[in-house]
Amino acid sequence: MPLAHMKPMLKKAQLEKFGVAAFNMIDYNSARAVVDGAQELNAPVIIQLSVKTINLWGFQPIAEWVRMLSDSVDVPVALHLDHCKDLNVIKNCIDAGWTSVMFDGSSLSFKENIRQTKLAYEIATSAGVGLEAEIGAIGGTEDDKFVAEDDAILANVDECVEFCQHFPDLAVFAPAIGTAHGVYKGEPNIAYDRLTEITSSVDIPIALHGGTGLEAEQFSRCISSGCAKVNISTMHKLQFIQGFTGLKETQPNLGEPIPFIDAQYELMKKGVKDMIALFGSQGKA
Ligand code: 13P
């Protein structure tokens, strides 16, 4: 089916209390593993990209790949731009066919975040595309952004309420609730109370960033408290690499590339299906 919009997909997830998995794709093979995994479990899914990956492949090839893959299945697939501060990149994604975009103003002051998010909101909503916006500071590394553990800041509830009043049509809201991008160094310290306070004051689906490394019980508490979009990047990237290196270890003399691509695809697709099943979106297409 044609590329789907993220807002209705996430509204349904919020109401029915399941999580839509959002994977950071790397290349065509990775996007194929995500879309096929979702199709096999009859689940809605989000393919998202960091700016670094877009710079590698270009806007048009990515949009073409994902559109083609989406056309070949009958589950909703949204194409989303992950953390981005550059309005030109946001415009280029929308022009190329992305169905949602994120503006990440979380490193700005609260006022400046609102001011700049308004510019992105105007661009996205006038094009009929959903917007994700963030406040607080999510720890860890994503793309070129690094937030040290000590600098991670939980989103303030009053600020969440004020922020969202400016953006009634926001597709998804990303308040920092203690999760972190990348591999967790210690036990993740999720502020469930803060999450519940936010979701009882703000009626917008919440994005859970930093999904890699969380336990089933942590996902399920976050999802039942209103997290409708669950981001997985690091796990997918590690499986992308492990697909190749795992086969190389067992068959060091193999010189034919296609078995490597197949091994990588199967490993990534298994990861995709595991996450979809864990987030309760299986059968929810
Ligand atoms: P992980 O890399 O921890 O899976 O986080 C992904 C993410 O939140 C992308 O924005």
Side-chain angles (χ1 to χ4, degrees):
M1 60 169 74
L3 282 173
H5 284 274
M6 199 173 68
K7 195 175 170 206
M9 193 191 262
L10 295 182
K11 205 66 203 168
K12 173 177 153 85
Q14 180 197 15
L15 292 173
E16 296 182 19
K17 295 204 182 306
F18 65 87
V20 178
F23 297 96
N24 289 63
M25 70 167 262
I26 303 139
D27 67 355
Y28 177 75
N29 203 31
S30 128
R32 188 170 72 103
V34 173
V35 171
D36 290 353
Q39 168 77 1
E40 286 177 25
L41 293 189
N42 193 30
V45 79
I46 297 165
I47 291 197
Q48 57 188 12
L49 292 106
S50 63
V51 178
K52 214 191 242 178
T53 314
I54 296 175
N55 287 341
L56 174 66
W57 301 116
F59 296 93
Q60 290 300 338
I62 293 165
E64 283 303 316
W65 294 339
V66 181
R67 225 185 333 253
M68 231 163 56
L69 288 164
S70 173
D71 282 343
S72 73
V73 294
D74 48 21
V75 295
V77 177
L79 176 57
H80 178 64
L81 168 66
D82 200 14
H83 300 274
C84 180
K85 287 196 274 201
D86 185 335
L87 295 177
N88 284 322
V89 174
I90 287 179
K91 280 185 202 146
N92 288 335
C93 282
I94 294 173
D95 288 346
W98 262 247
T99 53
S100 67
V101 290
M102 175 175 190
F103 178 77
D104 179 357
S106 59
S107 58
L108 306 169
S109 69
F110 179 62
K111 274 205 166 129
E112 187 56 18
N113 189 359
I114 292 178
R115 191 188 74 76
Q116 294 198 23
T117 302
K118 275 186 182 165
L119 302 174
Y121 184 73
E122 177 57 35
I123 294 168
T125 49
S126 63
V129 158
L131 182 75
E132 174 173 350
E134 174 175 331
I135 71 170
I138 297 169
T141 303
E142 179 56 44
D143 210 4
D144 286 331
K145 181 182 169 193
F146 172 68
V147 177
E149 213 174 301
D150 290 347
D151 296 331
I153 306 164
L154 290 185
N156 170 290
V157 181
D158 292 337
E159 287 186 353
C160 288
V161 174
E162 189 185 333
F163 187 86
C164 290
Q165 277 165 354
H166 290 277
F167 309 110
D169 243 346
L170 206 60
V172 59
F173 177 49
I177 54 160
T179 55
H181 296 121
V183 176
Y184 286 94
K185 292 198 184 71
E187 185 58 28
N189 191 7
I190 304 179
Y192 294 109
D193 291 350
R194 184 68 59 97
L195 172 61
T196 313
E197 281 179 78
I198 295 168
T199 51
S200 51
S201 329
V202 167
D203 186 26
I204 293 175
I206 301 292
L208 181 66
H209 282 251
T212 299
L214 298 184
E215 302 287 339
E217 194 254 338
Q218 294 168 318
F219 283 124
S220 107
R221 269 184 87 174
C222 290
I223 291 168
S224 62
S225 304
C227 290
K229 172 175 183 268
V230 185
N231 286 2
I232 302 286
S233 175
T234 304
M235 181 202 85
H236 189 66
K237 287 178 188 164
L238 294 176
Q239 289 177 337
F240 178 93
I241 296 166
Q242 178 63 26
F244 272 80
T245 56
L247 187 61
K248 188 71 186 162
E249 274 162 29
T250 56
Q251 298 192 51
N253 297 323
L254 194 61
E256 164 63 39
I258 290 177
F260 287 93
I261 292 168
D262 287 342
Q264 190 192 41
Y265 167 80
E266 291 301 336
L267 191 64
M268 288 188 289
K269 192 171 74 172
K270 182 184 177 312
V272 165
K273 290 171 74 174
D274 288 347
M275 292 301 114
I276 287 174
L278 208 52
F279 305 161
S281 54
Q282 180 167 359
K284 297 287 191 178

